[in-house]
Amino acid sequence: MEGSIEDVTPQAGSRTTRWLFVAAILTGSFLLFLVQPMVARMALPRLGGAPAVWNSAMLVYQALLLGGYAYAHWLGRVPPRMQATIHIGVLIVAALWLPIGVSATELPGDAEPAIWVPWLLIASIGPLFFAISAQAPLLQRWYSLASHGRDPYALYAASNIGSFGGLIAYPLIVEPTLALKGQSWLWTAGYVLVLALVATCAARLPRQAEGEPHVAHHTPAPPRRRVLHWIILAFVPSGLMLATTTFLTTDIVAVPMLWVLPLGLYLLSFSVAFRDNAVLPDILTRFAPVIILMFGATLIAGHQQLAYLNALIGLLLLFTVSVTLHARMYALRPAPDRLTGFYLAMSFGGVLGGVFAGLLAPILFDWTYEYPLLVFAAGILSPQIFLLPVIRDFWLHGASGKTVLIGALVALLVWIGIANPGQLLGEMHEQIAFVLVAVLGLVAVGRRPAYLAALAGGLILFGGYRSIQLSLSDARTRSYFGVYTVTEYKNENQLAHGTTLHGIQLKGAQSTQPTTYYVPGSGVGQAMQALPELYGPAARVGVVGLGTGTLACYAKPSQAWRFFEIDPAIVQLARDSGKFTFLRQCAPQTRISIGDARVRLTESQTASLDLLALDAFSSDSVPMHLLTRQAFATYSRVLAPNGLLLVHISNRFMALAPVVSAAARDGGWKAIRLSYEPAPHFIATPLPGGGTKVDQVEPRAESASEWIALSHDPAVLQRLAARGGGWRQLKSWPEFQPWTDDYASVIPVLRVLHPDLTED
């Protein structure tokens, strides 16, 4: 076979060529999305989990992807067979970086993530990522040439199906079944397969593209306004995908691996939208303004009572917006010879959306304001189609005056819904006002200015104004780790991280009393009280996770304490804001090391601590590198030979006891466990006719908690348990292997998948 399309029969050749290109594109995209979490896991123990690390990594991935698309666009300037020769050469040169892994270069102890992380990732996987990222647009262009001008855009569905497959395959299949070394060799085998598929596709290219013997393009270049439109249409879904992930995990429900769903739906939207005569995009496009109006506004309210329903609403809204705007982009696509420029503009818009929602928004806003802003932008960009003929007839005459009228009515309803003058709308004033605004919005669908007035009113009325009030009150702080809200009550101050309570401080005479997970009866409370007995008056204490600084109130004047905290925003709240005074009142001289705890502990001296408390696992995101065999070896080195390690394993979604038990068994630790339940409190109320009514109430400022105490010295644990409190031997799970830097997965410990692990 000479390689020309004329060498095969039209029917068989066309079908074979199509499926060959589909396989090549799908496999390349699969590898592209598989490598990102894989390299993140490889780099985690060395670089830690600081936000600057992963923000820098995200920028590297986006820059390499954009560079790959630009390279594919540039390659269109040369003849097809020369394109194939160059690209296969690039793939072969990039193969010198196989098997995939993180560069062994030693990083300085004071390495600046903004400089070292991009350099390390580019040195580790840059050429491979760059070469693979060019696959989708380049091979679609080749397919158009090899098939004599067939529309290549439908093949982009294969690209995004492959991306989606790589996305879900890593956490669900690859990570739970293979160690990192095995993952690396799996990816290497996939790369060799891609190289073979690309070479086979190249053999199908004609020796000279029909209709373009001397030039790369034979259709006019799109106007700049059209290119800008493509960029904006790509910007909003990309930004909304990240904003949805942040908003759901911050204000709705914090569920492990929830980030997979928004990204997966975003990728699938391309497969749905980039098709001719598809029914679903037409349906979603027609009703997108309604869904944006109804769901965008209600989701902003963030009602925790309907957390999972709201999460579903948010995902449906994201999918609708993504399909609608990507379908619009597909409708505005250029001819196949301009395909690579189209994808370059789309990639640039996606990068801008990611930079806005992932990097700029946490700096610019103290709440997830990017979410309603992008919802509103989606309303601006979505096509407007009248829902009913009677609505279209309503707008036929005097549209400008009717738009002003609807805008005025929306403003009036928003004011009434917020202020509720004279209790005009009763206790349900917000809900009633929103329903009326929504009715006006439905009438306005098809008339963009009036519709946008209703959409803005709904976003402000149903949650937006409350967020603005909180921002003005200086009650909220935002960092790359999320949104922290301080709520001040008459008797206490509370700190919440999204939906997770992070700490409570009582006021007045009880201001130094440990609360929540750290009360005296908890595992860590008992261990702290036992310090003088176990290690004398000058005990050396380390705590991973600062929170509000509650544990500092166990400190004694002669003890040496050190906190390890990854988020500078938490340090500011606990030490400098004045809203929490545990540190100032109890241990003002305490050292605080900012940065990833494992990295900081690695820098610490041997046997420099008597007690180390790990309090970093109570939210949805578990830093796995703090629970691996290598991490426990670091704790063992930093602790004295008879030192005590306390691990807080309270977690709504994960059963971490088997992980700690396996690490203890592997490292020769002895372990005991304490499950603390607050004692019930009762309130006696005299009854009018005599007698007393007794009601059980939740204990004030106390939380149930699970703590595991580990030591290489059994006598230390015996003395701790002898003090009482309900310590018991930690159960062993022989089927669990310890997590390592090479292998760790949360799938085996998810409570929803393994309810038998909820009790030991």
Side-chain angles (χ1 to χ4, degrees):
M1 183 177 291
E2 192 62 29
S4 172
I5 194 68
E6 290 84 3
D7 295 339
V8 293
T9 62
Q11 295 80 6
S14 175
R15 183 178 302 170
T16 303
T17 298
R18 179 182 177 85
W19 284 109
L20 177 62
F21 277 86
V22 166
I25 291 173
L26 189 149
T27 307
S29 298
F30 181 89
L31 291 183
L32 199 64
F33 269 76
L34 197 67
V35 74
Q36 297 182 38
M38 183 188 305
V39 171
R41 277 281 291 112
M42 291 176 176
L44 183 60
R46 295 185 59 194
L47 301 178
V53 170
W54 304 122
N55 291 326
S56 299
M58 186 180 73
L59 284 178
V60 169
Y61 292 141
Q62 291 178 324
L64 289 173
L65 183 65
L66 185 61
Y69 276 39
Y71 156 72
H73 181 60
W74 170 83
L75 214 53
R77 299 172 182 269
V78 302
R81 287 298 182 99
M82 181 62 69
Q83 293 180 30
T85 301
I86 294 173
H87 187 55
I88 291 174
V90 168
L91 288 169
I92 291 173
V93 171
L96 297 175
W97 274 255
L98 294 172
I100 200 166
V102 176
S103 172
T105 304
E106 284 296 324
L107 301 183
D110 57 349
E112 171 56 48
I115 298 173
W116 281 100
V117 172
W119 182 89
L120 183 66
L121 292 177
I122 290 173
S124 301
I125 64 165
L128 292 166
F129 197 98
F130 173 84
I132 290 289
S133 66
Q135 295 290 96
L138 185 61
L139 290 184
Q140 286 178 72
R141 174 80 175 113
W142 289 4
Y143 173 74
S144 178
L145 297 174
S147 61
H148 295 276
R150 287 176 179 261
D151 187 357
Y153 284 99
L155 270 66
Y156 196 59
S159 172
N160 286 282
I161 290 173
S163 300
F164 179 74
L167 173 71
I168 64 172
Y170 187 79
L172 297 181
I173 300 174
V174 176
E175 188 180 44
T177 56
L178 289 175
L180 287 176
K181 185 177 294 185
Q183 296 173 26
S184 178
W185 284 109
L186 173 68
W187 202 92
T188 299
Y191 187 86
V192 173
L193 175 61
V194 166
L195 182 56
L197 288 170
V198 170
T200 308
C201 290
R204 298 276 175 148
L205 287 171
R207 296 188 180 279
Q208 181 173 292
E210 291 184 2
E212 44 177 322
H214 303 296
V215 296
H217 306 291
H218 59 270
T219 59
R224 291 184 178 179
R225 184 169 181 173
R226 175 62 55 84
V227 175
L228 180 61
H229 198 181
W230 291 339
I231 292 173
I232 295 173
L233 287 171
F235 174 95
V236 173
S238 172
L240 189 62
M241 179 268 296
L242 289 177
T244 298
T245 305
T246 302
F247 184 73
L248 291 182
T249 56
T250 297
D251 276 27
I252 303 299
V253 58
V255 175
M257 298 171 60
L258 184 61
W259 60 270
V260 171
L261 297 178
L263 181 54
L265 291 175
Y266 170 78
L267 294 173
L268 287 178
S269 71
F270 286 102
S271 301
V272 173
F274 277 50
R275 297 175 61 189
D276 290 321
N277 303 317
V279 176
L280 184 58
D282 290 341
I283 295 174
L284 291 179
T285 297
R286 181 176 184 83
F287 291 101
V290 178
I291 295 174
I292 292 170
L293 174 67
M294 303 299 294
F295 288 173
T298 55
L299 196 62
I300 294 300
H303 293 302
Q304 259 76 66
Q305 300 90 336
L306 303 173
Y308 291 99
L309 177 61
N310 280 334
L312 290 175
I313 288 174
L315 295 173
L316 175 60
L317 176 62
L318 170 65
F319 186 68
T320 299
V321 169
S322 298
V323 170
T324 298
L325 299 190
H326 290 154
R328 181 62 179 155
M329 194 186 310
Y330 181 69
L332 298 175
R333 69 194 185 280
D337 67 308
R338 297 283 177 180
L339 175 147
T340 53
F342 170 72
Y343 284 128
L344 180 60
M346 186 174 70
S347 174
F348 183 63
V351 168
L352 290 180
V355 169
F356 169 68
L359 296 180
L360 295 181
I363 298 173
L364 297 175
F365 309 130
D366 68 348
W367 182 64
T368 51
Y369 284 109
E370 68 273 18
Y371 186 78
L373 288 174
L374 288 166
V375 168
F376 188 75
I380 295 175
L381 295 173
S382 296
Q384 295 280 327
I385 304 171
F386 293 113
L387 297 178
L388 297 170
V390 66
I391 296 178
R392 182 189 60 227
D393 296 340
F394 172 78
W395 289 102
L396 281 179
H397 305 290
S400 297
K402 293 172 182 176
T403 298
V404 173
L405 176 61
I406 285 183
L409 289 174
V410 168
L412 178 63
L413 287 170
V414 169
W415 175 72
I416 293 175
I418 295 173
N420 196 24
Q423 295 295 308
L424 180 64
L425 299 181
E427 294 184 359
M428 303 286 289
H429 53 97
E430 285 185 4
Q431 290 81 354
I432 294 173
F434 173 73
V435 169
L436 295 175
V437 168
V439 170
L440 291 175
L442 294 178
V443 172
V445 171
R447 178 68 180 172
R448 195 179 304 275
Y451 167 78
L452 292 177
L455 177 59
L459 292 172
I460 293 172
L461 180 64
F462 228 39
Y465 82 92
R466 284 195 297 272
S467 295
I468 294 173
Q469 285 179 323
L470 276 175
S471 295
L472 295 176
S473 68
D474 194 33
R476 229 174 7 215
T477 301
R478 185 173 182 183
S479 73
Y480 285 108
F481 287 94
V483 177
Y484 303 102
T485 304
V486 178
T487 306
E488 298 190 28
Y489 297 100
K490 179 180 178 181
N491 298 316
E492 62 189 38
N493 286 352
Q494 294 186 2
L495 174 65
H497 179 197
T499 60
T500 302
L501 182 65
H502 250 33
I504 295 175
Q505 183 171 22
L506 303 176
K507 295 182 178 180
Q510 297 177 300
S511 62
T512 60
Q513 175 182 318
T515 56
T516 62
Y517 306 110
Y518 319 107
V519 295
S522 67
V524 71
Q526 294 194 30
M528 293 299 182
Q529 294 173 87
L531 279 174
E533 177 186 336
L534 297 176
Y535 303 109
R540 302 161 300 170
V541 179
V543 179
V544 175
L546 176 61
T548 56
T550 310
L551 284 175
C553 284
Y554 286 108
K556 304 298 181 185
S558 57
Q559 295 174 349
W561 279 60
R562 182 181 180 186
F563 281 94
F564 300 87
E565 175 55 52
I566 196 171
D567 193 350
I570 283 289
V571 177
Q572 193 276 331
L573 282 170
R575 184 182 63 189
D576 307 324
S577 69
K579 296 175 181 178
F580 297 95
T581 60
F582 288 120
L583 284 174
R584 189 177 67 200
Q585 290 182 268
C586 302
Q589 304 304 319
T590 294
R591 294 172 57 197
I592 301 177
S593 295
I594 299 177
D596 184 83
R598 179 167 164 186
V599 174
R600 293 290 174 261
L601 284 168
T602 301
E603 301 165 356
S604 300
Q605 294 182 354
T606 299
S608 57
L609 294 174
D610 296 308
L611 183 147
L612 177 63
L614 300 182
D615 182 34
F617 314 114
S618 60
S619 189
D620 65 305
S621 178
V622 170
M624 292 190 293
H625 68 302
L626 297 183
L627 288 176
T628 63
R629 170 186 293 158
Q630 292 80 2
F632 274 83
T634 297
Y635 308 147
S636 181
R637 183 189 65 80
V638 173
L639 283 168
N642 65 338
L644 187 62
L645 177 65
L646 271 294
V647 184
H648 187 196
I649 63 167
S650 303
N651 192 287
R652 290 176 290 176
F653 302 106
M654 301 183 204
L656 297 176
V659 178
V660 178
S661 175
R665 183 178 67 246
D666 179 72
W669 301 78
K670 306 301 179 184
I672 55 177
R673 176 178 181 175
L674 192 149
S675 302
Y676 176 77
E677 288 288 343
H681 288 201
F682 299 94
I683 295 180
T685 306
L687 297 176
T692 302
K693 178 185 178 184
V694 179
D695 295 308
Q696 181 174 332
V697 298
E698 289 294 323
R700 183 181 172 197
E702 294 187 28
S703 302
S705 63
E706 296 278 345
W707 288 88
I708 296 175
L710 305 97
S711 180
H712 289 293
D713 186 349
V716 170
L717 296 182
Q718 291 170 5
R719 294 167 66 186
L720 176 62
R723 294 172 57 89
W727 290 98
R728 65 189 189 279
Q729 198 72 25
L730 178 63
K731 177 183 174 181
S732 176
W733 285 265
E735 69 276 14
F736 270 85
Q737 296 301 310
W739 284 358
T740 68
D741 287 348
D742 195 45
Y743 174 81
S745 171
V746 300
I747 298 297
V749 295
L750 288 176
R751 296 184 188 277
V752 66
L753 298 179
H754 305 279
D756 55 308
L757 296 179
T758 57
E759 298 292 340
D760 65 353

